[in-house]
Amino acid sequence: MKKITLLLLILLPILVFSQSLETKEVKIKMSKGTQTGIEIFIPSVSEDDVEDAIKEITKKYKGDEERVRRSNETYIENAIIKEINSKPITMHQLIEEVGKGIRYTAFFNLGGSFLESNANPKQFAAAEEIVTKIAIYASKIRINDVLEEEKDQLEDLLDDQKGLEDDKDDAYKVIEKAKDEIADKEKEILELKQKLDTNRVKVVKQQKKLDEIKKRKKLLK
């Protein structure tokens, strides 16, 4: 049994947790009957994540990947995995959605028998390494996807922030323009007040002048 602790950053919703990726030997039913396999639970990933991880990790084994009809089982035929067998083998895998993650089980068909820890401990440990690498890679795929999603959301928020900053600057400009207009109008009011005061004095003088002329006119009767 092999156990690796992986710190996963999962943001749907935002949640940080430490999850152990632990392999275990199981004996379960698959297309070739009830056989011994290596199982691991990978939290917060999708079936696509695991399938992509399988393709990436196993591509160097140069096998032909096939799917068992009407099943969630796939297999890689004629895989060359020297750490497990000198001859080509068939690597079967089951991908099952369980809760908030995927239960991934790999079976290593040596051609007549399936790999077991008791019979082949060294080769079994190598197989556990492969299963663990697939689990880690699938987790990395998921984390990268989440990071991209969060990056996009951050960029949207930054765009919104820039728009709000621009709106705020525009509002300040309107206020400053209004202040200038108010200052101009206040100056105009002062000038008009001065002109009004001057004109009132002229009006009073003109009225006095007119009254004086009227008095003189009366004296001529």
Side-chain angles (χ1 to χ4, degrees), residues 171-189:
Y172 272 126
K173 288 177 182 178
V174 170
I175 290 173
E176 292 302 319
K177 183 178 180 181
K179 284 181 179 179
D180 291 340
E181 291 177 352
I182 290 171
D184 291 341
K185 290 300 180 182
E186 287 176 341
K187 182 179 179 182
E188 184 179 348
I189 288 171

Side-chain angles (χ1 to χ4, degrees), residues 136-166:
I136 292 174
Y137 198 91
S139 298
K140 287 180 179 179
I141 291 173
R142 180 57 183 151
I143 291 172
N144 287 337
D145 288 344
V146 172
L147 287 175
E148 284 301 315
E149 292 168 8
E150 295 304 316
K151 181 181 176 183
D152 290 342
Q153 289 191 33
L154 176 59
E155 289 177 353
D156 289 342
L157 289 172
L158 289 174
D159 288 341
D160 291 342
Q161 182 173 320
K162 186 179 184 305
L164 291 170
E165 291 286 351
D166 290 343

Side-chain angles (χ1 to χ4, degrees), residues 6 26 39 60 85 139 153 161 179 189 201:
L6 178 68
V26 295
E39 179 186 295
K60 63 181 179 180
N85 200 357
S139 298
Q153 289 191 33
Q161 182 173 320
K179 284 181 179 179
I189 288 171
V201 172

Side-chain angles (χ1 to χ4, degrees), residues 31-168:
S31 62
K32 300 298 182 180
T34 300
Q35 302 294 347
T36 300
I38 301 171
E39 179 186 295
I40 192 167
F41 177 73
I42 317 170
S44 305
V45 299
S46 68
E47 290 185 23
D48 288 342
D49 294 333
V50 178
E51 287 177 356
D52 289 344
I54 291 169
K55 288 178 182 178
E56 179 62 28
I57 299 301
T58 64
K59 64 183 180 182
K60 63 181 179 180
Y61 303 140
K62 304 184 184 300
D64 301 317
E65 185 174 358
E66 303 288 344
R67 179 174 292 276
V68 177
R69 293 182 62 185
R70 299 178 183 177
S71 164
N72 59 349
E73 180 181 339
T74 61
Y75 60 93
I76 303 171
E77 200 168 31
N78 295 319
I80 301 172
I81 311 176
K82 294 181 180 179
E83 300 88 346
I84 295 176
N85 200 357
S86 59
K87 296 179 181 180
I89 68 172
T90 301
M91 179 178 172
H92 297 257
Q93 37 243 328
L94 289 173
I95 301 173
E96 304 166 278
E97 186 174 341
V98 178
K100 295 183 178 180
I102 294 294
R103 181 169 61 207
Y104 167 61
T105 310
F107 306 83
F108 297 83
N109 187 345
L110 306 178
S113 65
F114 280 75
L115 185 65
E116 295 183 359
S117 61
N118 290 336
N120 307 95
K122 186 176 180 181
Q123 290 85 345
F124 193 87
E128 284 186 306
E129 288 282 353
I130 294 170
V131 172
T132 301
K133 285 179 181 178
I134 289 170
I136 292 174
Y137 198 91
S139 298
K140 287 180 179 179
I141 291 173
R142 180 57 183 151
I143 291 172
N144 287 337
D145 288 344
V146 172
L147 287 175
E148 284 301 315
E149 292 168 8
E150 295 304 316
K151 181 181 176 183
D152 290 342
Q153 289 191 33
L154 176 59
E155 289 177 353
D156 289 342
L157 289 172
L158 289 174
D159 288 341
D160 291 342
Q161 182 173 320
K162 186 179 184 305
L164 291 170
E165 291 286 351
D166 290 343
D167 291 343
K168 183 189 72 174

